[in-house]
Amino acid sequence: MILELDCGNSFIKWRVISPGGRERICAGIVDSDDGLFEALAGSGVKVQRCRLVSVRSDAETEQLVTRLKASLGVEVVCAQSSSQVGGVRNGYHDYQRLGLDRWLALLGGYHLGQRACLVVDLGTAVTADFVSADGEHLGGFICPGLPLMRDQLSTHTRRIRYDREVALAALQELEPGRSTAEAVERGCLLMLRGFVAEQLAQARSRFPGGFEVFLTGGDAELVRDAVPEAQVVPDLVFVGLAIACPLS
Ligand SMILES: Nc1ncnc2c1ncn2[C@@H]1O[C@H](COP(=O)(O)OP(=O)(O)O)[C@@H](O)[C@H]1O
Ligand SMILES: CC(C)(COP(=O)(O)O)[C@@H](O)C(=O)NCCC(=O)O
Ligand SMILES: [K+]
């Protein structure tokens, strides 16, 4: 069995796939290293190999890798920055600066789409990346994700305060808010949708020959109906991870 990890700024997404990579055995989302080891122990699967991508600090990533090696007794392969992989060329001036989750998601998108693509990843941050039909990464955009937007509002104001449960209920519709929770939650979601719509408009003008749109990340579902042509691929980073880190 192969354990795959996507260590984002807020959550670790994990899944276990069959040795040939065709079958998904189990998967989950945890908010800490401890949570990961608990979930793995609970799953009862025997892991033989492990590969991961992390956008956390080097120290945090090394700590997790050491613990994985010690507790599972496996080698751990970490995705590394690269200027070129799987027919895609990294578009950053300094390719090492491009977030590894972005790099893997766009490798995954280009692999699945086999033509120009726009990849939007909605997590702690929201990122959009463009890849041309011939595999040139044209760069992208980063903006705060929904959790950061709402946290900034409550941190920097005196009277924006409401509970998490009220927030979830507020997103059931997008009429102008009649409470603080509705006004903030809906306002931030409309900002996200506006961002995604703008990326779509840019992709249309950049790629007149057509393109695929991929949505991924924990908040992808929240913008899906703003982009009906998009494919929601929750495991897109893992598609790219398999390309960047093949296990022989
Ligand atoms: N089961 C879930 N657990 C945690 N967050 C979730 C879940 N489903 C959706 N989300 C949303 O996903 C967001 C985190 O997305 P994610 O892509 O995991 O972020 P990151 O990669 O930055 O850690 C959260 O803000 C939350 O709104
Ligand atoms: C943009 C990100 C913070 C997104 O992280 P996430 O929301 O997935 O946790 C991450 O890809 C990152 O740290 N990137 C480095 C900066 C860059 O890509 O330019
Ligand atoms: K992201």
Side-chain angles (χ1 to χ4, degrees), residues 151-233:
D151 289 355
Q152 281 296 92
L153 276 172
S154 72
T155 305
H156 295 282
T157 62
R158 269 72 172 180
R159 292 175 193 270
I160 293 185
R161 300 281 183 278
Y162 53 88
D163 317 326
R164 191 74 203 96
E165 273 142 53
V166 181
L168 287 174
L171 285 177
Q172 296 308 309
E173 53 169 291
L174 287 176
E175 288 298 302
R178 290 177 185 273
S179 68
T180 305
E182 288 177 1
V184 171
E185 291 295 311
R186 295 175 190 176
C188 292
L189 180 54
L190 289 177
M191 281 193 67
L192 270 200
R193 291 191 184 201
F195 177 83
V196 174
E198 168 62 20
Q199 302 311 314
L200 198 64
Q202 293 214 11
R204 285 199 187 104
S205 67
R206 268 197 190 91
F207 306 133
F211 59 94
E212 295 293 326
V213 187
F214 294 97
L215 298 179
T216 191
D219 285 325
E221 288 296 338
L222 292 177
V223 300
R224 122 179 267 167
D225 56 0
V227 207
E229 61 267 68
Q231 302 181 46
V232 178
V233 184

Side-chain angles (χ1 to χ4, degrees), residues 8-11 13 121-126 143-149 218-219:
N9 281 289
S10 305
F11 296 99
K13 278 68 69 184
D121 186 337
L122 300 105
T124 311
V126 174
C143 74
L146 205 51
L148 287 186
M149 287 198 248
D219 285 325

Side-chain angles (χ1 to χ4, degrees), residues 5 7 50-54 61 64-65 68 76-79 241 245:
L5 306 175
C7 308
C50 176
R51 62 185 162 207
L52 68 80
V53 57
S54 172
T61 306
L64 176 59
V65 168
L68 283 164
V76 179
V77 179
C78 295
L241 183 62
C245 303

Side-chain angles (χ1 to χ4, degrees), residues 12-148:
I12 300 176
K13 278 68 69 184
W14 65 273
R15 68 175 197 178
V16 175
I17 56 173
S18 59
R22 283 186 210 287
E23 210 188 324
R24 194 171 90 158
I25 312 296
C26 49
I29 302 176
V30 290
D31 64 2
S32 65
D33 292 7
D34 287 345
L36 172 68
F37 287 96
E38 257 170 51
L40 289 175
S43 76
V45 290
K46 176 88 188 83
V47 170
Q48 276 98 24
R49 287 177 296 177
C50 176
R51 62 185 162 207
L52 68 80
V53 57
S54 172
V55 293
R56 299 181 170 194
S57 69
D58 290 343
E60 287 169 297
T61 306
E62 274 161 32
Q63 195 178 5
L64 176 59
V65 168
T66 305
R67 198 166 158 191
L68 283 164
K69 286 179 179 167
S71 104
L72 304 176
V74 294
E75 276 311 300
V76 179
V77 179
C78 295
Q80 304 292 335
S81 299
S82 172
S83 59
Q84 195 163 329
V85 171
V88 183
R89 294 173 300 285
N90 190 315
Y92 258 29
H93 297 305
D94 176 356
Y95 70 85
Q96 297 186 335
R97 296 274 169 191
L98 177 68
L100 278 168
D101 55 349
R102 294 173 63 191
W103 176 235
L104 296 187
L106 69 90
L107 289 180
Y110 187 72
H111 173 78
L112 295 179
Q114 294 291 314
R115 61 176 185 152
C117 56
L118 163 64
V119 177
V120 182
D121 186 337
L122 300 105
T124 311
V126 174
T127 60
D129 283 281
F130 299 86
V131 186
S132 71
D134 63 355
E136 193 80 50
H137 171 225
L138 306 178
F141 298 96
I142 304 174
C143 74
L146 205 51
L148 287 186

